[in-house]
Amino acid sequence: MNPSDETHRDPVNEVERKVFDAEIVDEPRRERARRFAKWWLNSPRVPSWLKSWPLLRQALLDAAAWVLRSPWTFLRAVVRGAVLVVRQWRRWLRVHDYREAAEESEKLADKFLEIRSLTLFRWKVTGSVALAAIGAGVVLSVLFGLSALWAVSAAVAVVLAVTGRRKEGAPGRKPVLAGPRSLTWTMDPQVLVDAFRDAKLTGKDESLRLVERAARSGEGWAITVDLPATRKAADVVKNREALASALAVDEVQLIAERVRGKGGHAGRVFLWVADDDPYSGPPPKCPLLDVDSWDAWRPIPFGRDARNRRIDLPLVWTSLVVGAIPRQGKTFATRLAVAGLVLDPYVRLYVFDGKGGKDWEAAEEVAHRFVCGDEDRHVAAVRDFLIELVGEVQQRYTRMSKLDDELCPESKITRTISRDGDLGMPVTTVVLDEVQVFLDDPSPEEVGGKKTTRGAYIADLLAYLARKGPAAGIVVILATQRPDSNTIPSRLRSVLGSRFALRVMDWRDSNIVLGEQMNTRGYDASTLLPSHKGVGILRPDGEADGSGDVLAMTVRTYYLPNPEWRTICNQGRKLREAAGTLTGHAAGDTTSGSIDSSAVAHALGAVPSEPTELPDPLGAILKYLGDDLETREFVPTAELTDALGMEPTAFGRRMGDLGCQPRRGRLVGEDGTARQVRGYYSADLRAAIEEHRTGTDEGRT
């Protein structure tokens, strides 16, 4: 290179060369830093509290709390150690072991003089040791001053503290009377281990593995633990009440959830314990009152859980049933679900109130179809409007089949389709409050040449809408204060997606709303407190926002009284007037559309006819079990033969001819032990009954 080249270098190129060289030099250093960070986060040798700022912050808080508590902990340990030493000295002084041996051999009278002599000797030893200790203390104080006495006292205190330390299995650790343990586990994890053992969730020699240390979360404490091998988190959820008792808290204060998905497994449990009743105090205000409009395709704010997390409920592509006894907030919960749909001007509403009164009166301002009352003409109008809606569902599927794949890719309504006025397929919600009024109507009907009742016909129409309607944009919302199998037949109940059960009378009613065997999984709405108005168990269809991957959750619904409900309805009317989507009843048109009953009857398929007489013993079994056929999972053969008075061999042969074979199942006795017996699963019995009825109806047709 010439010297002149050095003199005339381009400054820009020189800078670029230096930067380029610097990047080459620094690249190995960055790679080493990335490798070190990866090792640090994945290494089992590095404590978990050094891997993230939240865990480090919690560890520092725990350390500070330990430092602040240590003087009192040390003092309590010294006192316990002193008490333990005094107890042991007293047993030694009274020659307790020698006396017990003499009592067991029934020679206490013969050994009385020896015991007395040994007791006097030990008193002398005690006095001598005490005098020697006092003398040694005086000598040390004379030679070294009071500092020696303080040093000896400190050493004695340390020995007493070690003797009285809180350690499992240490002598003197069994209290005579156990005190309350509420939230003690946040300070002493051993208490949590004992609680699991007391609740029979772990064995005597089993322990827990701490995944995340106890930390404050909202108005309570949260902790995540791993159960011993073969122990299941589902059992903890199911036995939540027993665990709450062991922790000395009310079960409403305890949340137990299985940790699922990434970072979870079948034996990992998340626990949250509230400081107080999380459902006390004034109910939360509905957040929809603070918005001008809402999009029905977004989950609707429904309430808050015990941890005060907002729970949003999706309604499009699903359905909802709300069940409760009177005066528990059923209508309020139903109006909450509808409120978000009211604030979407592109949603069409069918509102049918079987109770009458003012609860749904404001919905007249926005409803496309509206019925309020329980008279014969009201039930007939509901039937006609449902037939109209079933016909519309059929037409929607026909129109969707002709749309291109880009607009309608999966034969399912989309947000774009629902908002296109030319297509005429808006999201349509049909709401039936006090649905039992319509389903129990005994008026005779003839549909497709078959005899049935008006209530059964309405049930079939609703079952069709709940089964085939969601993909076409139909949302069915039912509410009833009589959640039993007679009110909501299984053919309708089985196709309802989301379920919400406020307080009901017993576990059977809870299972009718939430689903079979939900009480055995730890979800029973009959255990809710009467004072908890608006609190219920929500089982969403899919994942409700804020719920995580849980089967069901306890939710306190927002409070939406009648004046605020009227405000929302008035706002919904203004939105529809501005968007030009006000139709039907709200627009002054109370006439129903064209009704093709034959096409609807054909779409419904097998309409229930007159009650078909079942062959024995199926008919006798149905009569014997009644509602239990819906709630019980397994029925032993011995129970059926005893109840029906039939010989077991003949009974089994006859059931086999009817296509129902016995199987083995587990039967839990009164003592809690389970044993295997032969019997029939309720699902098999229901399938056999349905198959016989369907086959008989097809033969008649």
Side-chain angles (χ1 to χ4, degrees):
M1 181 179 294
N2 296 327
S4 59
D5 295 336
E6 293 287 336
T7 306
H8 299 287
R9 281 179 178 175
D10 188 352
V12 176
N13 292 334
E14 180 67 17
V15 172
E16 290 179 351
R17 187 185 68 80
K18 289 182 179 180
V19 173
F20 182 74
D21 291 345
E23 290 177 348
I24 293 178
V25 172
D26 287 349
E27 185 61 28
R29 186 179 302 172
R30 294 180 181 179
E31 182 63 25
R32 286 195 299 270
R34 283 195 295 267
R35 290 180 179 178
F36 177 77
K38 183 178 180 180
W39 171 84
W40 183 270
L41 294 175
N42 298 324
S43 175
R45 298 180 180 86
V46 179
S48 60
W49 55 272
L50 287 177
K51 295 181 179 180
S52 68
W53 283 111
L55 293 179
L56 177 60
R57 183 169 57 253
Q58 185 61 43
L60 294 176
L61 292 175
D62 292 341
W66 180 85
V67 170
L68 294 175
R69 293 196 307 268
S70 57
W72 302 106
T73 303
F74 180 78
L75 181 60
R76 289 197 300 267
V78 170
V79 173
R80 287 195 301 271
V83 172
L84 179 61
V85 169
V86 171
R87 286 178 179 174
Q88 294 297 328
W89 168 77
R90 187 169 178 270
R91 288 173 60 87
W92 175 80
L93 186 65
R94 296 180 66 238
V95 200
H96 195 271
D97 52 348
Y98 192 79
R99 185 188 298 271
E100 283 185 347
E103 289 178 352
E104 291 178 359
S105 61
E106 298 181 355
K107 295 181 179 180
L108 181 61
D110 299 337
K111 303 293 183 178
F112 179 76
L113 294 178
E114 296 181 19
I115 294 174
R116 181 176 177 81
S117 175
L118 186 57
T119 302
L120 291 175
F121 172 76
R122 292 185 176 183
W123 267 112
K124 292 177 182 179
V125 171
T126 300
S128 300
V129 171
L131 291 175
I134 293 173
V138 172
V139 172
L140 290 175
S141 63
V142 171
L143 296 177
F144 303 101
L146 294 178
S147 59
L149 293 181
W150 282 111
V152 172
S153 300
V156 172
V158 170
V159 173
L160 292 177
V162 172
T163 304
R165 68 191 184 280
R166 286 190 177 276
K167 182 179 179 181
E168 185 181 13
R173 284 291 298 110
K174 293 183 178 180
V176 178
L177 292 175
R181 301 194 295 180
S182 176
L183 299 183
T184 308
W185 58 272
T186 61
M187 312 302 177
D188 187 1
Q190 183 59 43
V191 176
L192 183 62
V193 175
D194 294 339
F196 270 79
R197 292 174 182 171
D198 294 341
K200 309 299 183 186
L201 297 173
T202 58
K204 181 179 180 181
D205 299 326
E206 295 177 330
S207 186
L208 303 173
R209 178 179 175 272
L210 190 66
V211 179
E212 294 181 3
R213 297 182 62 85
R216 291 292 297 178
S217 176
E219 298 297 323
W221 289 87
I223 189 171
T224 303
V225 297
D226 277 349
L227 300 175
T230 73
R231 299 285 182 173
K232 296 181 294 185
D235 294 333
V236 178
V237 177
K238 180 171 63 176
N239 296 283
R240 182 174 58 90
E241 185 176 354
L243 181 59
S245 175
L247 289 172
V249 297
D250 193 277
E251 58 266 29
V252 299
Q253 295 177 243
L254 174 63
I255 289 181
E257 298 175 354
R258 173 185 167 185
V259 182
R260 310 196 67 172
K262 185 178 180 180
H265 57 80
R268 180 163 292 181
V269 182
F270 170 81
L271 299 175
W272 185 81
V273 181
D275 300 335
D276 201 353
D277 184 355
Y279 306 116
S280 61
K285 176 186 175 182
C286 179
L288 291 176
L289 293 168
D290 299 326
V291 301
D292 294 330
S293 63
W294 194 260
D295 186 351
W297 291 85
R298 292 175 56 192
I300 295 173
F302 193 66
R304 293 190 174 271
D305 65 359
R307 299 171 62 189
N308 201 33
R309 298 178 301 177
R310 177 168 142 175
I311 302 299
D312 294 345
L313 181 65
L315 285 177
V316 177
W317 291 344
T318 186
S319 52
L320 172 67
V321 59
V322 179
I325 59 176
R327 294 175 299 280
Q328 290 299 315
K330 169 181 57 62
T331 299
F332 284 76
T334 309
R335 290 195 306 209
L336 268 173
V338 180
L341 304 173
V342 170
L343 291 176
D344 187 338
Y346 296 97
V347 171
R348 184 178 295 171
L349 295 167
Y350 286 64
V351 179
F352 307 138
D353 180 13
K355 179 172 58 178
K358 299 172 59 177
D359 290 339
W360 293 93
E361 186 180 36
E364 284 193 87
E365 299 293 322
V366 292
H368 178 72
R369 302 295 183 208
F370 183 82
V371 175
C372 182
D374 58 358
E375 298 178 9
D376 183 76
R377 59 186 178 89
H378 297 132
V379 180
V382 169
R383 175 205 58 197
D384 294 341
F385 290 144
L386 291 178
I387 293 174
E388 172 191 337
L389 197 53
V390 169
E392 182 176 340
V393 170
Q394 295 173 299
Q395 296 174 10
R396 288 191 180 191
Y397 277 112
T398 301
R399 293 200 298 272
M400 282 193 294
S401 65
K402 300 178 182 179
L403 298 177
D404 58 76
D405 292 341
E406 184 178 353
L407 183 60
C408 184
E410 299 179 358
S411 297
K412 188 182 292 186
I413 194 173
T414 63
R415 186 178 185 276
T416 302
I417 295 175
S418 68
R419 277 164 155 67
D420 191 333
D422 296 333
L423 295 177
M425 289 188 283
V427 172
T428 302
T429 303
V430 53
V431 184
L432 288 92
D433 195 4
E434 304 298 348
V435 67
Q436 74 276 358
V437 172
F438 308 111
L439 299 182
D440 291 344
D441 191 292
S443 303
E445 289 274 338
E446 185 171 339
V447 182
K450 297 180 181 180
K451 294 182 180 180
T452 183
T453 64
R454 187 182 294 166
Y457 188 29
I458 291 176
D460 284 324
L461 293 168
L462 290 173
Y464 177 88
L465 293 173
R467 183 174 62 253
K468 298 197 65 176
I474 307 300
V475 180
V476 177
I477 300 178
L478 308 180
T480 179
Q481 64 181 7
R482 280 172 43 197
D484 54 57
S485 59
N486 293 327
T487 298
I488 306 180
S490 59
R491 64 184 182 279
L492 171 58
R493 188 169 63 252
S494 61
V495 294
L496 294 172
S498 299
R499 287 110 182 278
F500 184 61
L502 295 114
R503 182 169 171 263
V504 295
M505 292 303 297
D506 58 26
W507 62 270
R508 296 179 182 84
D509 293 343
S510 178
N511 284 350
I512 291 295
V513 180
L514 298 176
E516 291 186 9
Q517 304 300 316
M518 286 296 289
N519 66 310
T520 63
R521 303 183 189 182
Y523 303 102
D524 185 358
S526 65
T527 62
L528 298 172
L529 298 180
S531 59
H532 289 162
K533 305 292 186 182
V535 177
I537 299 176
L538 175 65
R539 185 182 182 183
D541 182 13
E543 180 180 341
D545 287 6
S547 66
D549 295 321
V550 298
L551 176 64
M553 72 211 80
T554 303
V555 177
R556 187 181 193 185
T557 57
Y558 292 116
Y559 185 57
L560 188 63
N562 212 38
E564 295 178 354
W565 164 248
R566 188 175 295 278
T567 299
I568 287 180
C569 290
N570 291 337
Q571 178 64 17
R573 182 179 181 87
K574 294 178 182 178
L575 293 172
R576 282 165 174 77
E577 288 175 343
T581 56
L582 195 67
T583 60
H585 185 93
D589 180 12
T590 58
T591 60
S592 60
S594 59
I595 299 176
D596 187 355
S597 299
S598 60
V600 170
H602 178 72
L604 295 180
V607 179
S609 59
E610 293 177 332
T612 305
E613 183 179 354
L614 295 172
D616 287 332
L618 279 180
I621 291 175
L622 180 59
K623 184 177 180 180
Y624 166 68
L625 292 177
D627 290 347
D628 289 346
L629 186 61
E630 301 287 344
T631 57
R632 293 180 62 176
E633 181 180 8
F634 180 78
V635 186
T637 301
E639 178 184 343
L640 294 176
T641 55
D642 290 343
L644 305 181
M646 296 185 64
E647 195 271 329
T649 304
F651 176 80
R653 186 183 304 113
R654 180 58 179 154
M655 291 293 289
D657 295 339
L658 295 173
C660 194
Q661 299 292 341
R663 293 192 290 167
R664 289 192 175 275
R666 294 175 64 85
L667 182 65
V668 181
E670 296 180 356
D671 57 352
T673 59
R675 56 189 179 92
Q676 282 195 342
V677 297
R678 293 186 68 83
Y680 297 86
Y681 283 90
S682 299
D684 295 340
L685 293 173
R686 291 195 299 269
I689 292 172
E690 187 66 25
E691 181 180 357
H692 176 79
R693 283 179 168 170
T694 304
T696 303
D697 291 341
E698 290 176 352
R700 289 181 178 179
T701 303

